[in-house]
């Protein structure tokens, strides 16, 4: 991350990314495609077509998503992105026979074990050669280490950001590594004049990776002091002990690297104790959620700042994605829905490009369809046209609705980030950062 790449675009905001217009997790979830319960384990099978009995082929892949638990507010965002991608793909069809894409979905319950259980069902029972999942970095890593890696199944995480995923090259992802985000967050805090901070981070791979990068950057590169750097457990009813320990330091800034439910509890308890008036709050993307605004008191976190993943607002295919999203759901998407859309689209392109529908064949082409050496294509239809005209996987370069995917040797894409703040109990989005 080059701090000088900060672009002063404060007058601009991400398309639709003002408070009250963000994609809400409690809104009507009517989808543009058909969703039918498959029974057992909270799973569902999603498709835009029914079997016609006329010889039309279909391809079933799996998805492990957070439908319940602490990560449910983020998992629900994926549903709409997934459905829009399926609609676009199945409108074109896969292969010469115009086959349909199906996605069998399992709930990870926002836990590592729940993710492993769901992945085992999809891989061992359903036999999927490609699996999309999950939201939580720890869940994605657990699925990779326990299920997909040994089975030779391609895994694409739609939302996981921990730097730890980079050490597993076969674990691909659509959202960028949190390493650049952690560096940018440290620079933001330092540039605001803070030289002593207190950090609390959720005790999993996401929190560990992001806090390590932040602390290393803040102390070693920026000369600051981390006076408190401790984890907290997921799903607790109170974090007053953590806040008391943070308040006992001389830190002028508190860094919350946690999830929406946990942060909501902390904000409310901090407000009760008046901490929000004595220190400045900072956070990352998981402290941006409508549910936080809805379940905290006005004024309880005004002035908070942070860094969140973003999508380039001037990109035409992102604008088209926003238009389709708003037309179908009467809401404006977050970048997380865009990541889910791209995960499904890259999976479909791999199926279109591969010689056969197997993990080995899909693995051999899935990176190639995103690489910059090929012709830029901005949707599944354009990419399929190149492939069907004799093009190879390396002849296409899919430009995702979330930005260029360009999966590198570690399975990581480049990243777009944006500074956000809380003003009058609303999220306000400003400057952009690129990695």
């Amino acid at each position: 991350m080059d701090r000088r790449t900060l672009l002063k675009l404060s007058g601009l905001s991400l398309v639709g990314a003002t408070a009250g217009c963000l994609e809400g997790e409690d809104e009507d979830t009517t989808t543009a495609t058909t969703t039918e319960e498959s029974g057992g384990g909270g799973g569902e099978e999603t498709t835009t077509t029914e079997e016609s009995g006329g010889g039309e082929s279909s391809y079933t892949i799996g998805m492990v998503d957070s439908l319940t638990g602490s990560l449910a507010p983020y998992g629900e965002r994926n549903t709409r992105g997934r459905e829009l991608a399926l609609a676009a793909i199945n409108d074109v069809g896969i292969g010469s026979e115009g086959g349909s894409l199906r996605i069998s979905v399992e709930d990870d319950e926002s836990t590592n074990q729940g993710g492993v259980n769901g992945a085992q069902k999809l891989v061992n029972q359903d036999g999927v050669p490609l699996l999309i999942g999950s939201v939580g970095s720890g869940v994605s890593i657990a699925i990779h280490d326990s299920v997909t890696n040994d089975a030779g199944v391609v895994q694409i995480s739609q939302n996981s950001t921990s730097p730890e995923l980079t050490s597993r090259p076969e674990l691909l992802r659509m959202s960028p590594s949190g390493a650049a985000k952690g560096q940018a967050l440290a620079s933001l805090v330092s540039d605001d004049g803070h030289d002593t901070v207190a950090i609390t981070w959720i005790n999993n791979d996401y929190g560990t990776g992001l806090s390590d990068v932040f602390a290393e950057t803040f102390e070693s590169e920026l000369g600051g002091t981390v006076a408190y750097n401790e984890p907290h457990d997921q799903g607790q009813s109170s974090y007053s002990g953590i806040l008391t320990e943070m308040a006992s330091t001389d830190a002028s800034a508190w860094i919350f690297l946690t999830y929406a439910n946990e942060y909501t509890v902390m904000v409310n308890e901090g407000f009760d104790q008046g901490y929000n008036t004595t220190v400045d709050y900072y956070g990352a993307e998981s402290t941006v959620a409508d549910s936080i605004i809805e379940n905290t008191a006005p004024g309880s976190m005004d002035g908070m700042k942070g860094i969140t993943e973003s999508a380039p607002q001037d990109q035409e295919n992102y604008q088209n994605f926003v238009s389709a999203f708003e037309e179908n759901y009467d809401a404006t998407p977050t970048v997380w829905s865009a990541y889910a859309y791209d995960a499904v689209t890259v999976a479909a392109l791999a199926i279109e490009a591969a010689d056969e529908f197997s993990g080995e064949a899909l693995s051999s082409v899935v990176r190639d369809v995103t690489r910059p050496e090929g012709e830029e294509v901005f949707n599944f239809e354009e990419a399929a046209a190149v492939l069907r005209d004799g093009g190879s996987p390396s002849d296409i370069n899919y430009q995702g609705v979330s930005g260029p995917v360009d999966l590198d040797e570690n399975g990581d894409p480049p990243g777009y980030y944006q500074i956000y703040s809380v003003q009058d109990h609303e999220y306000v989005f400003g400057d952009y950062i690129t990695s």
Side-chain angles (χ1 to χ4, degrees), residues 37-112:
E37 294 298 326
S38 60
E44 62 183 31
E45 185 174 304
T46 305
T47 179
T48 55
T49 62
E50 298 292 336
E51 289 295 339
S52 63
E56 180 183 278
S57 60
S58 65
Y59 303 87
T60 299
I61 62 175
M63 176 181 278
V64 176
D65 207 1
S66 299
L67 307 180
T68 59
S70 294
L71 296 174
Y74 315 116
E76 290 176 5
R77 298 170 179 174
N78 292 329
T79 300
R80 294 171 174 178
R82 180 183 80 222
E83 296 289 354
L84 284 180
L86 278 172
I89 293 161
N90 287 333
D91 187 52
V92 176
I94 296 177
S96 59
E97 297 181 359
S100 60
L101 179 64
R102 297 172 176 269
I103 302 180
S104 183
V105 182
E106 292 293 325
D107 180 14
D108 63 25
E109 302 172 347
S110 301
T111 67
N112 291 3

Side-chain angles (χ1 to χ4, degrees), residues 23-29 76 80 290-291 294:
E23 180 184 355
E25 53 266 21
D26 58 352
E27 296 163 349
D28 177 34
T29 56
E76 290 176 5
R80 294 171 174 178
D290 285 349
S291 63
E294 293 163 1

Side-chain angles (χ1 to χ4, degrees), residues 131-184:
L131 184 147
I132 297 172
S134 183
V135 176
S137 298
V139 181
S140 291
I141 290 171
I143 291 172
H144 171 272
D145 292 353
S146 299
V147 184
T148 58
N149 191 43
D150 289 341
V153 170
V154 176
Q155 182 180 347
I156 306 173
S157 169
Q158 64 272 48
N159 290 167
S160 298
T161 61
S162 171
E164 185 64 24
L165 271 72
T166 300
S167 66
R168 294 162 171 81
E170 298 310 315
L171 176 45
L172 314 177
R173 55 175 156 189
M174 293 296 104
S175 54
S177 168
K181 179 174 57 186
Q183 294 166 358

Side-chain angles (χ1 to χ4, degrees), residues 33 40 69 73 129 181 186 190 203 230 250 255 261 267 286 294 296 385 395:
T33 56
K181 179 174 57 186
S190 178
N203 195 13
E230 296 294 334
D250 59 351
I255 319 301
N261 292 354
V267 168
S286 292
E294 293 163 1
T296 55
D395 288 331

Side-chain angles (χ1 to χ4, degrees), residues 57 62 69 106 111 183 190 195 207 219 221-222 229 233 246 268 302 357 359 381 407-408 418:
S57 60
E106 292 293 325
T111 67
Q183 294 166 358
S190 178
D195 56 17
E219 291 188 317
E221 297 182 20
L222 302 174
N229 189 5
D233 291 330
M246 295 173 77
N268 287 329
D302 281 358
F357 189 53
E381 183 176 16
L407 295 175
D408 65 16
Q418 192 171 25

